[in-house]
Amino acid sequence: QQQVKQSPQSLIVQKGGISIINCAYENTAFDYFPWYQQFPGKGPALLIAIRPDVSEKKEGRFTISFNKSAKQFSLHIMDSQPGDSATYFCAASPAGYSTLTFGKGTMLLVSP
Amino acid sequence: DAGITQSPRHKVTETGTPVTLRCHQTENHRYMYWYRQDPGHGLRLIHYSYGVKDTDKGEVSDGYSVSRSKTEDFLLTLESATSSQTSVYFCAISESQGINQPQHFGDGTRLSIL
């Protein structure tokens, strides 16, 4: 049973455009929602994270939007750059637990 | 970057042989994790440890065992490797349980089982 559904599987965006990746979850016990960025040959790296007590969190060009009632959250990358080309994973963790459940990933390509 | 070293970085072996992957951390973090990454499946948790000699199963633990005899080392063993265990294996660490504790990942071990 996939507990975190991520879409799209792949995404091509023009330089300067907005990249949007969506995730939906089923487990209402999830309490922590991080996004990870992974470049080829490297491990995933934490990009930004949110908890359900806020609806939006912004760090530079990266924003998480969170909709608790719909059990959905999304990553927006503003002014997308070729250096943002990577695979992005959403994840979720229940309150009081350290383990993460990951989405299947989105491969983003930002064309020059 | 978090001080996480995975070894080996690449390994090719044959079906039926035992394989041990090592994760070494210099951060003195309590929690350590083993994931596998496969196309179309994302990252899936195999086992994790919440302290020396304290481990628990993850989503895909069948065919794998782990050991943690020291804070800094977490070993993943495939007792008798199968071709379905061909994957990229990642180790991660986190400081403690609780809210907003990020996991930091190593750069992975690419394992091919022929």
Side-chain angles (χ1 to χ4, degrees), chain B residues 17-57:
Chain B
T17 60
V19 177
T20 296
L21 308 183
R22 181 185 184 231
C23 178
H24 178 79
Q25 60 142 331
T26 58
E27 305 296 321
N28 200 35
H29 282 2
R30 179 183 176 190
Y31 285 79
M32 299 185 75
Y33 313 82
W34 278 108
Y35 292 89
R36 60 178 290 174
Q37 184 174 26
D38 304 288
H41 289 277
L43 289 146
R44 293 179 292 174
L45 182 66
I46 305 171
H47 282 280
Y48 69 101
S49 170
Y50 47 95
V52 173
K53 299 190 188 303
D54 293 323
T55 64
D56 206 348
K57 295 179 180 180

Side-chain angles (χ1 to χ4, degrees), chain A residues 1 9 31-32 36 38 41-46 49-51 87 89 95-105, chain B residues 1 9 31 33 35 37 40-43 45 48 59 90 94 96-108:
Chain A
Q1 179 186 5
Q9 213 170 354
D31 186 61
Y32 172 61
Y36 283 80
Q38 184 182 28
K42 306 294 279 185
L46 180 66
I50 197 168
R51 296 197 66 234
T87 300
F89 293 95
Y97 285 84
S98 65
T99 57
L100 289 170
T101 298
F102 283 85
K104 293 186 176 183
Chain B
D1 288 347
R9 292 295 315 278
Y31 285 79
Y33 313 82
Y35 292 89
Q37 184 174 26
H41 289 277
L43 289 146
L45 182 66
Y48 69 101
E59 177 188 356
F90 287 98
S94 66
S96 64
Q97 182 176 319
I99 62 171
N100 297 355
Q101 296 299 324
Q103 291 186 18
H104 303 283
F105 286 77
D107 284 338

Side-chain angles (χ1 to χ4, degrees), chain B residues 86-99:
Chain B
T86 291
S87 186
V88 181
Y89 290 85
F90 287 98
C91 172
I93 64 174
S94 66
E95 189 165 2
S96 64
Q97 182 176 319
I99 62 171

Side-chain angles (χ1 to χ4, degrees), chain A residues 51-70:
Chain A
R51 296 197 66 234
D53 50 352
V54 297
S55 60
E56 186 175 282
K57 183 174 182 179
K58 184 176 181 179
E59 290 185 1
R61 296 184 294 108
F62 300 90
T63 299
I64 300 179
S65 297
F66 187 84
N67 185 331
K68 187 174 181 179
S69 61

